[in-house]
Structures are given as structure tokens and as C-alpha cells.
Amino acid sequence: MTATSLQRPFTVVSILPRLLDTNGDAGNARVLAQRIRWSGHDARVVDVHSTADLPEHVDAVAIGSGTDAALVSARDGLRSLVEELRIWSNSGVPVLAVGTGWELLSWGIDLADGTVVEGLGLVAGHAVPRTTRATDDIMVASKYGRLVGFENHARDYVGAEASPLGRVLHGTGNGERESGPQIEGLTMGEVFCTHLHGPVLARNPTLADHLLGAAFTRHGLEYSRGPVAASVDETAQAARNLVAVRLGQPVE
């Protein structure tokens, strides 16, 4: 299949960006779309607030993080899209969920006051309260390279031990474990969940390119980052190295 045989733009869906963008994480959709353009293909971002906004074709999905005040509203918005989310996740459409967006895809969220916000049950595990909020740089060793970001969460995540995104080199991630290394995030097929803000894909283009590789493969295409992306990625690497030096970790 050739680069022109898709006959339409790649479509990246940003889910509930009015409610789930407190750390700029809705920007992950724009990162994916721009990297597609740099690879020589057309791309667009579609903001989806309800089923009425759904495009005919979806090639990648980004879900950001929100405030606890908006948890129920965001959960209800996601619940209206649960069948589409299930179809996407089961058919290999790459999905990235960050922070509370991830927690709402889980079995549920235990709040500090003892109440529970029921999740969509699309990924294993659930969120539980921390005694102190995790707010710090985080560095993670993963199969997609070393990932860096900023974490800002009041809950740990339990139940993702079998399929983490990576191992924590610095920071909190999913929380302390009784045995084994601290882990961060969750993966399930081409669904990726993480605490990393930044937006994570701008700071970690190797993860972005993995998601795009999955999106392209679904259409029989091979993804290759363009020369502009290669130049931009040097800046991202320099930024990661600055974090590494600050944290006493080796530079790349």
C-alpha cells in the first residue's frame, strides 16, 4: 500500500479536551497529528465531547487528565463513548490515557473521603488514595526508551503489575510495592496509560512513534519520521538530558 492509498487524512481523536486537559495533556493529540504531517501524510485532530462529534474514521486516540471536581462529569462523558473505546482498544487503534483519564478507564477510583467513582472497566486495576501527593519529575525505563515527565497525582494505582509501561528510575509512578521495583503506567495491547505529563509525547517522541507505527500498520503502511521530526527530537533529547542531570541519572 502506498503513502497516498489511504485517500483521507489520518484522524487523531482528542477525548473530552474541555474536561481532561488540566496539564496540557490534550496536546498529545496535536503531537501525533504533527508527526504524521512531518512523515508526509495528511492528518487532523477531532475534539470529541459526545457521540455527535465522532468522526467516521479514528486512527489514534488521546485522553488527558482532569481535576477531581470534574471526575464524575468526565466519567459520564467517557461512559457515553464506552462502546467506541472498547472497539478501538480491541481493534488495535492506539489509545493514550493520562492521569485521571487513565483512572476513569479502570475499575474505579477510591477517593480520600471513602467514596468510590466507578470507572469504565476497560483496563485492569484501580486508583487508591495516597497519604501525600506525588509532585515531582519522573523518569522511567521502558521498552520505548527512557521516558521523562512530571507527575502530579493524589492516588496510587494498583492492579497493573502484570503489564506496566516501565520501571521507575526516579519518582513515584504507580506507588510503592511490597516487592520488586516501582513501576509506572499500564499497557494493554495498543492502549497506553501513564502518570507522565509534559505532554508526554512531546518530551518522549519514541513513545509517540510507537503509537504512530501501530496506527500506520493498521492500514498496511510503514511509519517513518520525517527530517523535521528528527531535528525536533534532538531538542526533546536535550530536555530529557537536562532532567537526567538534575536527577543524577546518566545522559542519553
Side-chain angles (χ1 to χ4, degrees):
M1 186 175 288
T2 66
T4 60
S5 59
L6 191 58
Q7 298 298 313
R8 62 171 178 81
F10 277 86
T11 301
V12 182
V13 163
S14 179
I15 301 291
L16 305 181
R18 295 175 190 153
L19 293 174
L20 298 175
D21 189 26
T22 57
N23 295 281
D25 298 308
N28 285 310
R30 295 191 294 275
V31 171
L32 290 172
Q34 187 59 62
R35 294 184 75 83
I36 292 170
R37 297 184 192 108
W38 286 337
S39 75
H41 300 258
D42 195 10
R44 63 174 182 154
V45 174
V46 176
D47 292 344
V48 171
H49 305 285
S50 71
T51 54
D53 301 321
L54 286 167
E56 181 179 2
H57 303 284
V58 175
D59 300 301
V61 178
I63 307 171
S65 188
T67 65
D68 278 6
L71 273 179
V72 174
S73 296
R75 189 275 314 278
D76 291 346
L78 288 170
R79 183 177 282 167
S80 72
L81 301 166
V82 67
E83 289 307 317
E84 287 78 11
L85 287 163
R86 183 175 289 112
I87 290 170
W88 297 333
S89 62
N90 289 337
S91 61
V93 173
V95 177
L96 174 70
V98 180
T100 54
W102 161 23
E103 293 176 342
L104 290 169
L105 298 185
S106 77
W107 299 332
I109 302 171
D110 296 351
L111 300 178
D113 64 4
T115 60
V116 177
V117 176
E118 182 182 359
L120 274 64
L122 297 178
V123 298
H126 67 285
V128 297
R130 291 180 50 80
T131 55
T132 59
R133 191 175 190 88
T135 53
D136 197 0
D137 290 308
I138 179 170
M139 181 174 288
V140 178
S142 82
K143 65 185 292 185
Y144 314 101
R146 190 170 65 182
L147 309 177
V148 301
F150 187 80
E151 57 182 342
N152 179 16
H153 53 101
R155 289 177 288 272
D156 287 339
Y157 195 91
V158 296
E161 287 78 5
S163 54
L165 175 60
R167 174 175 55 87
V168 175
L169 299 174
H170 177 90
T172 301
N174 294 0
E176 297 286 346
R177 301 175 69 196
E178 292 184 2
S179 62
Q182 285 179 252
I183 59 175
E184 158 56 21
L186 176 153
T187 63
M188 184 188 75
E190 295 302 335
V191 177
F192 292 79
C193 303
T194 184
H195 292 106
L196 274 67
H197 304 293
V200 60
L201 298 184
R203 301 181 74 178
N204 303 280
T206 56
L207 180 57
D209 285 349
H210 173 82
L211 297 175
L212 293 177
F216 274 53
T217 296
R218 293 183 69 245
H219 298 291
L221 299 171
E222 183 177 352
Y223 170 77
S224 178
R225 68 174 185 168
V228 175
S231 176
V232 170
D233 292 353
E234 292 179 2
T235 302
Q237 180 173 324
R240 292 196 305 276
N241 283 339
L242 286 174
V243 174
V245 170
R246 185 165 68 246
L247 301 181
Q249 298 285 335
V251 299
E252 295 177 320

